[in-house]
Amino acid sequence: MSAILGTYNRKKISFKKGKGAYLYAHNGKKYLDFVSGIAVNSLGHCHSHMVRAIQKQSKKLIHVSNAFEIPEQEKLAKRLTKNSFADFVVFVNSGAEATEASIKIARKYFFEKGMPEKNRIITFKGAFHGRTLAALFAANNKDHTKGFGPRVEGFDQVPFGDHEALNKAITNKTAAIMVETILGEGGIKVIPNECLVGLRKICDEKKILLILDEVQCGIGRSGKLFAFDYAKIKPDIVPIAKGIGGGFPLGACLVNKKASEGMKPGTHGSTFGGNPLAMSVGNAVLDIILKKGFLKNVERNGQFFKDELVKLKHKYKNKILDVRGKGLLVGIKLSINNNKFLEHMFKNKLLAVKAADNVIRLLPPLIVKKEEIKKAINIIDKSLKEFK
Ligand SMILES: *Cc1c(COP(=O)(O)O)cnc(C)c1O
């Protein structure tokens, strides 16, 4: 019997090494990895630049307290703000911590402005913001919250895409709207650009803050550094995590000057957040992602992938209902059972992961080669043909 608390239904396979877009299992088989640790291994497995950064930094300094200045942190924060709407960055270790920091920053902003009653956050059905208590009840997925009451108060939820319900939900107690720019766990639901522009407009009109959760879709996954870049809007607060660490635990919350105003020394903290080793990895990931042409290539490869999948949709009309996503955040909505189909693809040595709405998610590393995408397409084609 396993000594690990049984919070996962684990597949009976383990890996001894990874290289690029491939994982090598202990059973001797080689798998094309389109899970990427769930949008985490942005540079693929064991990228030489990232490995070198870890080796180099770990020989010098791994951890010091945030009671001291940390130059590697300053460097990463500068690069993130230079390439985004943000003026400041606070570092944490995971996505849930980053979304919780976002909620705290929004509430504190209005508190310090003398409006403590403005503390409620509007969220959307089908959202996912992490597994800590506030993040759980923010998303309000019954499968996740069941048994973990009492509920954390302060969230008002509206159906995804329901403009009227959203307008109605905004009251003088609303502090912010929080939504993923592309809903990941919820089934790769892309918010159209015009709706993002609309969200920004509503927030301006009602004088509330816009939090865009880019933990999954951020840091190049969508083909732009941030998925909201497609809509050319500027949010107020943006939690990121997954891709920025490339596999090393690292989260951050990006914030503009206005929204940052409530946060003073002592208002937030993290023992591990922003340690020199994590920062060196984050900087190494950005070295690659911010290289000229890198994101264009992600966008191009993502488009190629989607175009090929749409061809399969026409070929297997009775099995594929929809192909969606942006860049290399791709979802296929199936009419056949997504779990069983994932199992079948696994037998054909392609790894992918499910999402809500009977969707399978395909999240290749951002360094994936066109040949590898073609190989994945062939496996998906074969699997669809074989699937009964
Ligand atoms: C994964 C995810 C989180 C939570 O991240 P953890 O690192 O698992 O805490 C939050 N928001 C979104 C959109 C995510 O995809």
Side-chain angles (χ1 to χ4, degrees):
M1 202 181 102
S2 171
I4 299 167
L5 187 64
T7 56
Y8 280 94
N9 271 319
R10 290 171 198 272
K11 185 169 270 310
K12 293 233 169 318
I13 187 156
S14 62
F15 303 98
K16 59 180 175 216
K17 67 170 189 176
K19 192 81 207 148
Y22 288 97
L23 276 172
Y24 299 80
H26 280 110
N27 65 14
K29 290 181 181 153
K30 178 182 170 186
Y31 292 85
L32 189 52
D33 180 16
F34 276 28
V35 177
S36 299
I38 310 193
V40 165
N41 302 106
S42 35
L43 306 186
H45 295 285
C46 301
H47 191 284
S48 59
H49 185 63
M50 183 171 151
V51 170
R52 256 195 316 273
I54 293 173
Q55 286 171 335
K56 223 170 114 193
Q57 186 60 43
S58 62
K59 281 182 197 159
K60 287 195 292 188
L61 186 64
I62 293 175
H63 175 87
V64 288
S65 165
N66 278 306
F68 306 104
E69 288 181 352
I70 300 175
E72 296 83 2
Q73 208 180 104
E74 192 64 52
K75 180 178 169 189
L76 185 54
K78 281 249 162 65
R79 294 172 85 184
L80 287 170
T81 54
K82 192 173 158 249
N83 287 284
S84 74
F85 71 98
D87 297 298
F88 302 105
V89 182
V90 57
F91 290 103
V92 291
N93 313 286
S94 67
E97 282 175 89
T99 56
E100 295 253 345
S102 306
I103 294 164
K104 284 180 69 179
I105 291 168
R107 286 183 178 166
K108 193 73 162 176
Y109 170 77
F110 286 104
F111 181 86
E112 290 294 330
K113 286 263 174 278
M115 294 176 266
E117 73 287 354
K118 271 178 105 61
N119 56 31
R120 302 191 67 84
I121 316 273
I122 293 175
T123 61
F124 292 83
K125 283 213 174 69
F128 182 77
H129 299 295
R131 298 288 199 138
T132 52
L133 282 167
L136 266 191
F137 285 97
N140 204 28
N141 177 338
K142 296 287 177 295
D143 294 339
H144 294 170
T145 58
K146 194 177 170 204
F148 296 115
R151 96 175 358 261
V152 176
E153 253 304 311
F155 301 100
D156 298 307
Q157 199 165 51
V158 297
F160 182 75
D162 189 337
H163 298 190
E164 202 177 319
L166 173 63
N167 273 311
K168 268 201 198 129
I170 301 172
T171 70
N172 52 12
K173 290 193 174 138
T174 304
I177 295 173
M178 177 164 79
V179 67
E180 300 156 75
T181 317
I182 299 171
L183 273 67
E185 304 297 313
I188 314 293
K189 291 186 177 150
V190 179
I191 302 183
N193 288 342
E194 61 271 24
C195 294
L196 288 171
V197 172
L199 275 176
R200 179 67 272 178
K201 215 168 133 222
I202 294 176
C203 288
D204 289 342
E205 279 166 15
K206 305 275 182 182
K207 295 191 167 54
I208 57 177
L209 300 171
L210 179 59
I211 306 172
L212 291 180
D213 183 343
E214 293 245 350
V215 169
Q216 187 158 157
C217 60
I219 309 298
R221 176 58 52 189
S222 73
K224 301 253 185 243
L225 190 57
F226 298 97
F228 57 77
D229 288 340
Y230 282 102
K232 300 190 166 64
I233 59 153
K234 290 186 165 109
D236 299 294
I237 305 172
V238 170
I240 60 169
K242 295 194 166 93
I244 181 67
F248 198 89
L250 168 54
C253 185
L254 281 60
V255 55
N256 64 17
K257 183 166 183 311
K258 172 183 153 186
S260 78
E261 277 166 9
M263 303 303 279
K264 313 238 155 63
T267 53
H268 197 59
S270 167
T271 300
F272 297 119
N275 68 76
L277 186 55
M279 296 299 98
S280 297
V281 179
N283 275 310
V285 168
L286 282 192
D287 288 343
I288 305 290
I289 286 183
L290 294 177
K291 258 197 191 145
K292 200 165 179 296
F294 184 90
L295 288 173
K296 261 271 155 286
N297 196 47
V298 171
E299 201 179 332
R300 235 187 339 258
N301 276 337
Q303 195 56 52
F304 170 73
F305 194 17
K306 239 171 58 183
D307 290 345
E308 291 297 310
L309 287 171
V310 167
K311 286 184 200 161
L312 292 183
K313 178 182 168 229
H314 294 312
K315 190 167 166 189
Y316 301 98
K317 284 191 185 74
N318 57 340
K319 289 174 182 160
I320 297 183
L321 293 174
D322 193 20
V323 175
R324 53 211 196 192
K326 265 194 177 142
L328 292 172
L329 184 59
V330 176
I332 309 178
K333 183 172 164 66
L334 299 170
S335 48
I336 50 178
N337 180 279
N338 61 348
N339 280 317
K340 285 189 184 141
F341 188 67
L342 281 172
E343 194 56 44
H344 199 85
M345 288 204 309
F346 173 73
K347 283 195 193 113
N348 289 327
K349 305 209 192 67
L350 172 64
L351 306 177
V353 63
K354 70 173 174 176
D357 209 19
N358 204 40
V359 163
I360 60 166
R361 260 181 296 176
L362 296 149
L363 312 166
L366 305 186
I367 50 86
V368 73
K369 296 188 184 81
K370 200 169 174 188
E371 298 82 68
E372 290 160 346
I373 293 178
K374 281 184 188 160
K375 189 168 168 186
I377 288 289
N378 286 336
I379 296 177
I380 297 166
D381 190 351
K382 177 173 187 279
S383 303
L384 282 164
K385 192 183 298 162
E386 290 168 352
F387 192 87
K388 288 286 175 288

